[in-house]
Amino acid sequence: MRKQAYDYLETNDRQLNEKYKLFKKGQTVVDLGYAPGSWSQVAHDRTSPNGRVIGIDILPVQPPKGVSTIQGNFLSPLVQQQVRDYVRNGDSGRSYPATEKLMTTAENEENGTKHMTEEDLITVEKSILEPEMAQEQEDKVVDVVLSDMSAPWDQTTGFWKRSLSDPYRRMMNTSGVNFRDHIGSMELCEAALDFAYETLKPGGSFVCKFFQGAEDKAFEKKLKALFAKVHREKPESSRSESRENFFVALRRKDGVSKGTVFTAV
């Protein structure tokens, strides 16, 4: 049963990748809600030998070989920061020191020997904005963000174990309440998109699972504000009665503000 479930998920993931060519060699991929590891396996296969795949899940799961993982609740700001730090540390670590002109202007101003000209004000403004912009660029080191997150069933057994070898017992598909499943999935998609905004390179891709409902059109508009192409996909291997779908967003635009994305209606 466990192998059948894994094979089913992996088939879905490979279908989407084959259609949209999401992964390329050497890429950095973050897989949110990676258990049981089907997306991570596909991503690792396609990005090897020099790619990086990082999986995050609240469940303790044995990851596919070659995949790095962080166990924790992705909705926690602390866990999100840990993930950002982890992916950023793989970058070149460039620093952006203050310019000599700015330091001289600041020193002169402190000593009262020079009045601020319009040019000086522009320089000071740039000294404040440029490090922030540089930090934002330094954070954008991810090529693909995947989100297959869903709320797991409550754990009822196995508390004495240090880890759970069978995550399928707690992986949620649907609760049976359509509205609840839909709203829960959209909240997770919003969290994943926020993370993607902070870490995804221009030109990068974003994939998230959702359950259809009244709110998915509003979320689609947010995706269209940030990405050049946005597609809705229901994998061929998915059951016809299932409300499970995927958004596939391609080619992240550069220079789009966060306010523009998250207020898009």
Side-chain angles (χ1 to χ4, degrees):
M1 182 67 180
R2 178 167 58 184
K3 186 178 186 304
Q4 288 176 344
Y6 184 91
D7 290 345
Y8 165 77
L9 292 170
E10 189 174 19
T11 299
N12 284 349
D13 303 341
R14 290 189 185 279
Q15 285 176 354
L16 288 178
N17 180 60
E18 290 302 319
K19 184 171 183 177
Y20 293 106
K21 303 295 187 288
L22 297 168
F23 308 121
K24 296 179 178 63
K25 292 185 182 300
Q27 287 183 327
T28 295
V29 179
V30 176
D31 186 359
L32 307 176
Y34 80 93
S38 56
W39 260 124
S40 291
Q41 182 67 66
V42 175
H44 178 264
D45 292 347
R46 294 295 189 273
T47 60
S48 294
N50 299 317
R52 284 200 310 160
V53 181
I54 302 99
I56 298 91
D57 207 290
I58 195 171
L59 301 177
V61 182
Q62 183 67 34
K65 185 177 180 180
V67 175
S68 303
T69 60
I70 296 173
Q71 185 190 345
N73 184 352
F74 181 72
L75 297 182
S76 162
L78 184 63
V79 172
Q80 291 188 25
Q81 187 57 50
Q82 185 180 2
V83 177
R84 289 190 184 96
D85 291 342
Y86 187 90
V87 297
R88 186 172 61 242
N89 287 340
D91 200 12
S92 59
R94 293 170 295 174
S95 60
Y96 296 84
T99 63
E100 182 179 349
K101 179 179 180 181
L102 173 63
M103 294 171 66
T104 303
T105 301
E107 289 168 358
N108 287 340
E109 188 67 7
E110 184 178 351
N111 295 332
T113 58
K114 185 176 185 296
H115 293 290
M116 295 288 281
T117 65
E118 184 177 352
E119 182 181 357
D120 292 330
L121 288 172
I122 293 173
T123 302
V124 171
E125 185 178 76
K126 288 176 65 178
S127 75
I128 296 170
L129 295 178
E130 285 182 352
E132 293 179 357
M133 294 171 63
Q135 183 62 54
E136 286 182 7
Q137 286 301 112
E138 191 174 351
D139 286 344
K140 291 177 172 56
V141 296
V142 178
D143 296 287
V144 184
V145 172
L146 310 168
S147 175
D148 200 2
M149 291 190 289
S150 59
W153 297 118
D154 293 335
Q155 183 176 351
T156 57
T157 61
F159 292 101
W160 57 274
K161 297 180 182 179
R162 292 189 177 184
S163 65
L164 296 179
S165 59
D166 190 1
Y168 299 90
R169 295 181 182 275
R170 293 184 62 202
M171 286 178 60
M172 187 187 88
N173 184 14
T174 58
S175 68
V177 181
N178 289 340
F179 181 75
R180 174 185 173 186
D181 294 335
H182 166 63
I183 293 300
S185 73
M186 298 317 301
E187 289 176 351
L188 292 171
C189 285
E190 288 272 356
L193 180 59
D194 184 79
F195 175 80
Y197 181 88
E198 299 293 341
T199 62
L200 200 61
K201 295 177 181 177
S205 302
F206 174 72
V207 180
C208 65
K209 180 179 72 177
F210 69 100
F211 294 105
Q212 289 176 300
E215 301 298 320
D216 59 47
K217 289 184 179 179
F219 184 75
E220 186 174 8
K221 289 180 179 179
K222 295 177 183 180
L223 292 177
K224 288 180 176 179
L226 186 60
F227 295 89
K229 292 287 184 180
V230 178
H231 305 273
R232 289 172 176 252
E233 280 292 332
K234 186 178 181 64
E236 294 176 8
S237 57
S238 180
R239 297 184 304 275
S240 59
E241 69 274 13
S242 173
R243 297 169 62 84
E244 178 183 281
N245 280 256
F246 288 87
F247 279 120
V248 180
L250 307 174
R251 301 199 302 276
R252 183 217 169 116
K253 302 173 186 176
D254 197 9
V256 180
S257 72
K258 195 168 188 177
T260 300
V261 175
F262 287 91
T263 59
V265 292

